[in-house]
Amino acid sequence: MRRTLTALARSRTTSGSILQRPPPLALLPPLHLYRRLLRAHRHKLPAEARLLGDEYVKSEFRLHRNVDNPVHIIGFLSEWQLYAQELEGNGWQGKRLEQGKIEKMSDEQVAQLYELMMAVKGSGGGSGGEGGADGMEGERGG
């Protein structure tokens, strides 16, 4: 029974219709990921976006420093690692935030995303970069 489940799982994860993006590599330790994110910001973002991005990364890692729930830790690290991969590959420019991710967010996270969108618009970097947040307005009713 175990072999068939393993074979089934392997065949489902390798088909292109099941996964929308390639699976991330093994999760990086938090400190390595933190440094990778700051390095990616330094090399890929313009100065104003870099300041905003660095501040955001630092505050998020500080807020999650004492999280004990393994599910939250894995989710946090995997999403930041996917962000780093997209940033390093330039696939993020002009990309919209997936509706499924917005639906999974808490009201506090949606408000934080909105504040981030307004900060980007206010700094003059809003052309093309705010597309993901605009798609969420009115959808959650929050």
Side-chain angles (χ1 to χ4, degrees):
M1 181 78 167
R2 189 169 202 62
R3 284 187 186 169
T4 58
L5 288 176
T6 305
L8 178 62
R10 191 175 301 127
S11 67
R12 290 192 60 128
T13 57
T14 57
S15 70
S17 62
I18 300 297
L19 294 177
Q20 295 178 354
R21 60 182 173 220
L25 301 174
L27 287 177
L28 292 173
L31 186 57
H32 292 271
L33 180 58
Y34 178 79
R35 289 176 181 161
R36 180 180 174 185
L37 289 164
L38 295 179
R39 195 176 310 115
H41 283 181
R42 185 172 50 244
H43 294 293
K44 298 288 185 171
L45 296 179
E48 288 182 8
R50 178 184 167 200
L51 290 174
L52 183 64
D54 286 354
E55 182 181 319
Y56 187 72
V57 167
K58 290 174 184 179
S59 70
E60 282 297 303
F61 273 77
R62 258 187 239 114
L63 287 172
H64 289 82
R65 183 183 302 168
N66 297 322
V67 173
D68 294 329
N69 187 337
V71 175
H72 290 184
I73 294 169
I74 290 171
F76 177 80
L77 294 175
S78 62
E79 286 299 320
W80 277 111
Q81 189 162 327
L82 287 171
Y83 167 73
Q85 289 172 350
E86 286 185 8
L87 187 62
E88 290 167 346
N90 289 332
W92 56 276
Q93 295 173 338
K95 187 174 179 180
R96 295 183 64 86
L97 189 60
E98 297 170 13
Q99 185 64 32
K101 285 189 179 184
I102 295 172
E103 291 171 358
K104 290 179 183 178
M105 290 182 182
S106 68
D107 290 339
E108 180 181 341
Q109 290 171 322
V110 172
Q112 190 176 16
L113 182 64
Y114 182 76
E115 289 174 11
L116 182 62
M117 180 191 72
M118 297 310 289
V120 169
K121 280 185 176 181
S123 69
S127 60
E130 81 280 352
D134 281 344
M136 71 172 205
E137 292 180 17
E139 303 258 344
R140 295 207 21 127

